[in-house]
Amino acid sequence: MKVSIEVEGSLWSYETIEANRCSPEAIPEEQRAGVVVAVDPSGAAGHDDLGADEIGIVIAARGVDGDGYILDDRSCREGPLIWGRRAVVAYHEYRADCIVAESNFGGEMVRATIQAADQNVPVRLVTASRGKAVRAEPISVRYAQGKIHHVGRFPKLEDQLCAFSASGYNGGGSPDHADAAIWALTHLFAADDGAGIIEFYRRAAEEQSRK
């Protein structure tokens, strides 16, 4: 059930997400060119810390077909020991290449939290040097092109995506699930970085000229 309404000028639409949804059988392990677990940490002390944002934990893959796939959403509101272990379990379960973690909240403490659960897990720290909307736009273009598929239904993630516009995030609280998904897909499409944002503004200019 949708708990939010698409904002004006939304970068995502429920219709686009639905049109490109697929079943788990659509991308078997041997068809996955890369898999990552992305973590968007928060300062939550535990499950009952209702004033804190959730820790976004999203698993995504890039297929040999070049498309992106959201495989799972393990986001939660838990203390560091629990969410660190949760991310590591997902890493092993999905045979991921690495865990990608946003470093602005805690820096090396994020890496230490994850590696406390398994010191052999490779962790790639990424820094949010650009605004949320700027990071989101290239990924939203790939959705619009039908190149990103949700393998199942992820209500909170999809509500948060549809609350993004070019001016920023317009939902309540933090887009923790969406941020994790965007980090995951950005990492998987790193070789193509920049192409999406150029296409986004080209399409926006065309739409404006037709008005």
Side-chain angles (χ1 to χ4, degrees), residues 26-41:
I27 178 171
E29 280 194 31
E30 62 270 19
Q31 295 298 310
R32 299 173 187 176
V35 180
V36 298
V37 177
V39 178
D40 185 70

Side-chain angles (χ1 to χ4, degrees), residues 106-117:
E108 286 297 325
M109 288 180 62
V110 175
R111 188 198 304 272
T113 297
I114 295 168
Q115 293 187 329

Side-chain angles (χ1 to χ4, degrees), residues 32-38 58-63 66-71 97-98 100 139 142 148 181-193:
R32 299 173 187 176
V35 180
V36 298
V37 177
V58 171
I59 303 91
R62 185 167 185 176
D67 287 4
Y69 296 82
I70 298 295
L71 301 177
D97 303 311
C98 67
V100 177
I139 301 303
R142 294 188 183 278
I148 306 294
I182 290 166
W183 283 124
L185 292 168
T186 298
H187 181 85
L188 289 167
F189 288 99
D192 307 324
D193 189 35

Side-chain angles (χ1 to χ4, degrees), residues 29-211:
E29 280 194 31
E30 62 270 19
Q31 295 298 310
R32 299 173 187 176
V35 180
V36 298
V37 177
V39 178
D40 185 70
S42 80
H47 183 74
D48 296 328
D49 188 4
L50 301 181
D53 296 324
E54 290 186 60
I55 295 86
I57 303 174
V58 171
I59 303 91
R62 185 167 185 176
V64 295
D65 57 2
D67 287 4
Y69 296 82
I70 298 295
L71 301 177
D72 206 350
D73 184 353
R74 300 284 180 88
S75 302
C76 62
R77 184 184 289 106
E78 299 288 357
L81 290 178
I82 296 178
W83 70 251
R85 179 60 183 167
R86 194 179 183 93
V88 166
V89 167
Y91 166 85
H92 288 295
E93 181 178 336
Y94 284 92
R95 300 177 182 271
D97 303 311
C98 67
I99 294 178
V100 177
E102 196 270 318
S103 65
N104 291 54
F105 197 101
E108 286 297 325
M109 288 180 62
V110 175
R111 188 198 304 272
T113 297
I114 295 168
Q115 293 187 329
D118 186 338
Q119 62 181 355
N120 296 315
V121 171
V123 179
R124 305 285 183 265
L125 296 180
V126 290
T127 303
S129 59
R130 300 180 296 173
K132 291 181 185 294
V134 176
R135 296 198 307 273
E137 285 165 353
I139 301 303
S140 74
V141 170
R142 294 188 183 278
Y143 273 81
Q145 294 170 337
K147 294 182 178 179
I148 306 294
H149 313 273
H150 287 198
V151 185
R153 297 183 180 278
F154 311 109
K156 285 189 177 181
L157 167 60
E158 292 166 16
D159 285 339
Q160 290 181 2
L161 290 175
C162 291
F164 266 100
S165 73
S167 61
Y169 180 64
N170 298 278
S174 171
D176 28 42
H177 298 240
D179 277 344
I182 290 166
W183 283 124
L185 292 168
T186 298
H187 181 85
L188 289 167
F189 288 99
D192 307 324
D193 189 35
I197 191 67
I198 293 171
E199 175 65 12
F200 174 84
Y201 284 115
R202 184 190 68 77
R203 290 194 304 113
E206 288 180 350
E207 292 174 2
Q208 186 64 33
S209 67
R210 290 195 292 266
K211 294 180 179 180

